[in-house]
Amino acid sequence: MKGTIVSAWVKTSKNLFGEDLVNEALTHEGISPNKVFTPSEDIEDSKALGIVDYIANSLGEKSSEIWRQIGIDNINTFSKDYPAFFKFKNLYSFLKAMYDIHVVMTKRIPGAKPPILNVEPLERNKAIMSYSSPREMFAYFHGMLEGASKYFEEDIQVETLEKGNNYTKISISFPEEVYNKKVYKLNKFLSFGFIRSFETKIGLASLLLAGIPLALLSNYVEGRILVSLILTLSFLVPIIIGKVLLRPLKNVFESIGDVEERDLSFERNISTNDFLEDINNRLNNIKASIKTDFVGYKATTDELNVFGDKFNQISNNMSITSQEINSVVEQVAHGAISQAEETEGAAYRLNSSIKVLNNIGERENKGKEELETAVNKISNGFENLKYSSDSLNKVMDEFSLVKEKGIILQDRAKNVTEIVETVERIAEQTNLLALNASIEASRAGEYGKGFTVVAMEIRKLAEGSREAVQSINDILKAFVMEIDGLVTDIEEQYNVLDEEKSNLNHLSIETSHTVASIQNVANLIIELVNELNKETMAMNQISEHIESLAAIAEENSASSEEVSANVTTYTDEIKSMTKRIAEFKKVSEDFSEDLEKYVI
């Protein structure tokens, strides 16, 4: 279903049932309430019909009743959108032209498939109308028929004659005469059902009314009288027969008069079975053909008028715009001159800045090299520090072994002291033994003298041993004290070294972080220097472009002055075109008024 039809339905529905309800129906069918339907756009039948079904359900009405109301009001909508299609003398002429209107609409809206409508006269004020559509929509059809009768202010009577799938036929009784047909019996009688030659009909009438009667009278009437009768009848019969047979010319002349009066709305029909009927039929065909053409002509004049209005508005806007453009171009011309001067100054200042920037870039490149060297030295120093830390850890491990050996030595010195004490106890026992031996030797008298000498020697030896032990013990105590002092010193130095080792390890870790940060900063600075070099190159290119722009600005300055002159000429041409469009609008309106003289 074409968008222009759906658009008319939506517009009518909003007038009848309110904008909110129709917007809800559109949204329900997946169509935006703000959608603009284009004439050639195809809308699915299910969605278009679904809009009306939703409205009917919401109002508690049958869909057929909603369609009937839409059909009634749609006539008003179409009459505003397509006024040329409603400029007919009466309702019958409008309905008769519906087929032609649909042909025009189909040409203007490619792909449109309107229903097939046909109207044929039946009696003086009655006609039969058939409606055929694959969508059926009979209620909509009857609603539009009712709306059309209200538009043309004619009270009609409608009766359904047939109704089937996709098809219905109705009879319409009009308040005024819509069909006229006269039957001329003599003309039909003389045709004998097959004779259409007018001359033959006159000949037959002369034969029947003059020839045969005179032939019969020739046996009973004298020669002079017969001759008088023959002459009289030969003169009068053709005149009378011709006059009677040519009575249909009145209808033919009336049809010609209708054409002369530009009234094509009424169709006059005669039945004579001769050339007069053919002439009248051809006049009716000419009327129908002209009416068909005028349907398109009037629609075209409406479009021309609308087009003229729009074009006139556009031309006025163009005239105003051209004046504004002219003003802007003049400003652009002055601006171009200023721009050229400013561009040259900017190019000079930019070149000076670029020289400074290039100098900074060179210094930054030197600084980058020194920074890379410093970073390498810091990295090497960190490696040395790390190596010293590792070496100190190894020394601490070895010093730990010395500490352990000192403790072992201290323990062994204590063991020697215990041995000396044992020896000292043995010396005391030996001395005591020598003393006891001397006592026993004295008791023995003479026999104990030798033993007394031995006892004395043993006592001397014991005393010497005791003195030696005492001396060793003094020395050993001094040695143990020195060993204890050494072990204490070793422990103190070990603790100091251990603390220094911790500090050095901590310093190594912090130094590693610092080196990493310095490395990152160095990398960032190097990247910035590289970017600075790139930007310097880009600025050099920009400088070259600005110098080119300066040259172009000078050319634009000259061109803008030329454009300003051309725009002035263009503005004058638009003013001239506006006058011509006004003349075109006047011609279109005059043509439309001329067409209005024809009543269809």
Side-chain angles (χ1 to χ4, degrees), residues 68 82 134 163 170 204 246 284 312 320 324 329 359 364 374 392 420 431 441 447 467 469 482 489 532 543 572 586 591:
R68 188 185 71 84
Y82 304 97
K163 188 174 182 180
I170 61 173
L204 285 174
L246 289 174
N284 287 334
N312 193 28
I320 296 172
E324 294 176 352
V329 169
N359 188 17
E364 288 288 347
L392 182 59
V420 169
N431 190 24
Y447 293 100
E467 291 176 357
V469 167
E482 291 178 358
D489 292 339
L532 180 62
S543 175
D572 295 337
K586 183 65 171 58
F591 181 56

Side-chain angles (χ1 to χ4, degrees), residues 87 261-264 290 294 297-298 301 305 586-600:
K87 293 179 180 179
E261 295 294 328
R262 302 183 182 89
D263 186 355
L264 309 176
I290 293 174
F294 269 70
Y297 294 158
K298 288 191 173 185
T301 56
N305 289 330
K586 183 65 171 58
V587 171
S588 176
E589 291 175 348
D590 293 341
F591 181 56
S592 180
E593 290 177 1
D594 291 339
L595 290 179
E596 292 299 327
K597 296 177 182 178
Y598 291 87
V599 181
I600 58 176

Side-chain angles (χ1 to χ4, degrees), residues 166-180:
N166 308 330
Y167 174 81
T168 187
K169 180 186 286 187
I170 61 173
S171 68
I172 305 174
S173 298
F174 298 91
E176 296 180 358
E177 183 180 26
V178 297
Y179 177 71
N180 180 280

Side-chain angles (χ1 to χ4, degrees), residues 43-265:
I43 308 297
E44 294 180 15
D45 289 357
S46 59
K47 290 187 176 182
L49 301 177
I51 296 171
V52 177
D53 291 339
Y54 183 89
I55 295 173
N57 292 332
S58 300
L59 298 176
E61 297 280 353
K62 292 182 178 179
S63 295
S64 58
E65 175 59 24
I66 301 299
W67 275 118
R68 188 185 71 84
Q69 295 181 41
I70 292 175
I72 294 173
D73 197 72
N74 246 14
I75 292 296
N76 295 326
T77 302
F78 283 127
S79 65
K80 294 176 182 178
D81 295 339
Y82 304 97
F85 294 150
F86 289 82
K87 293 179 180 179
F88 292 90
K89 183 178 181 180
N90 51 37
L91 176 60
Y92 175 78
S93 299
F94 171 73
L95 296 177
K96 188 75 174 174
M98 284 302 297
Y99 177 81
D100 298 328
I101 291 174
H102 283 168
V103 169
V104 173
M105 292 293 292
T106 302
K107 289 180 179 179
R108 295 188 180 186
I109 306 176
K113 297 179 181 179
I116 298 174
L117 297 172
N118 188 36
V119 178
E120 294 294 338
L122 184 63
E123 300 175 5
R124 187 182 67 86
N125 65 337
K126 183 179 286 188
I128 294 177
M129 185 175 187
S130 61
Y131 168 87
S132 178
S133 172
R135 302 183 184 97
E136 296 187 352
M137 301 177 64
F138 299 127
Y140 177 67
F141 164 67
H142 283 281
M144 291 194 70
L145 186 61
E146 184 177 347
S149 69
K150 292 180 179 179
Y151 180 85
F152 287 97
E153 298 179 350
E154 294 186 21
D155 186 16
I156 60 174
Q157 302 296 324
V158 179
E159 179 183 358
T160 302
L161 302 178
E162 297 180 24
K163 188 174 182 180
N165 293 332
N166 308 330
Y167 174 81
T168 187
K169 180 186 286 187
I170 61 173
S171 68
I172 305 174
S173 298
F174 298 91
E176 296 180 358
E177 183 180 26
V178 297
Y179 177 71
N180 180 280
K181 184 175 183 179
K182 292 185 178 180
V183 179
Y184 293 89
K185 296 181 180 179
L186 180 60
N187 295 59
K188 290 181 69 69
F189 171 75
L190 292 176
S191 67
F192 293 102
F194 66 92
I195 298 174
R196 299 190 64 85
S197 171
F198 191 79
E199 297 83 355
T200 303
K201 288 184 178 182
I202 294 176
L204 285 174
S206 300
L207 177 63
L208 293 174
L209 298 177
I212 294 175
L214 289 174
L216 294 174
L217 290 174
S218 64
N219 295 323
Y220 306 103
V221 180
E222 296 180 357
R224 289 183 179 179
I225 297 173
L226 181 62
V227 171
S228 299
L229 289 173
I230 290 173
L231 293 175
T232 302
L233 292 175
S234 297
F235 176 75
L236 294 177
V237 168
I239 293 175
I240 296 171
I241 293 300
K243 185 175 181 179
V244 174
L245 292 178
L246 289 174
R247 281 187 305 168
L249 278 177
K250 180 181 179 181
N251 286 75
V252 174
F253 285 133
E254 287 177 350
S255 293
I256 294 173
D258 292 338
V259 175
E260 290 177 343
E261 295 294 328
R262 302 183 182 89
D263 186 355
L264 309 176
S265 62

Side-chain angles (χ1 to χ4, degrees), residues 396 493-503:
M396 287 297 297
Q493 293 299 320
Y494 180 82
N495 292 331
V496 171
L497 287 175
D498 186 53
E499 184 177 355
E500 292 299 325
K501 183 195 76 169
S502 300
N503 293 334

Side-chain angles (χ1 to χ4, degrees), residues 433-536:
L433 181 61
L435 181 61
N436 289 333
S438 295
I439 294 170
E440 289 297 328
S442 296
R443 287 179 181 178
E446 190 67 27
Y447 293 100
K449 290 181 179 181
F451 189 73
T452 299
V453 175
V454 173
M456 289 177 68
E457 291 296 329
I458 292 172
R459 189 174 63 179
K460 290 180 181 180
L461 178 63
E463 289 177 357
S465 296
R466 186 177 63 183
E467 291 176 357
V469 167
Q470 184 66 38
S471 178
I472 291 172
N473 193 28
D474 292 338
I475 295 171
L476 187 60
K477 286 181 180 179
F479 179 68
V480 169
M481 290 178 66
E482 291 178 358
I483 289 176
D484 289 339
L486 177 62
V487 170
T488 302
D489 292 339
I490 289 173
E491 288 180 351
E492 291 176 356
Q493 293 299 320
Y494 180 82
N495 292 331
V496 171
L497 287 175
D498 186 53
E499 184 177 355
E500 292 299 325
K501 183 195 76 169
S502 300
N503 293 334
L504 187 60
N505 288 334
H506 182 69
L507 177 63
S508 176
I509 294 171
E510 290 183 351
T511 304
S512 67
H513 294 162
T514 303
V515 169
S517 299
I518 292 174
Q519 186 68 47
N520 292 332
V521 172
N523 292 334
L524 179 59
I525 293 174
I526 291 171
E527 289 179 2
L528 291 176
V529 171
N530 292 332
E531 291 294 329
L532 180 62
N533 291 332
K534 292 181 181 179
E535 292 300 322
T536 303

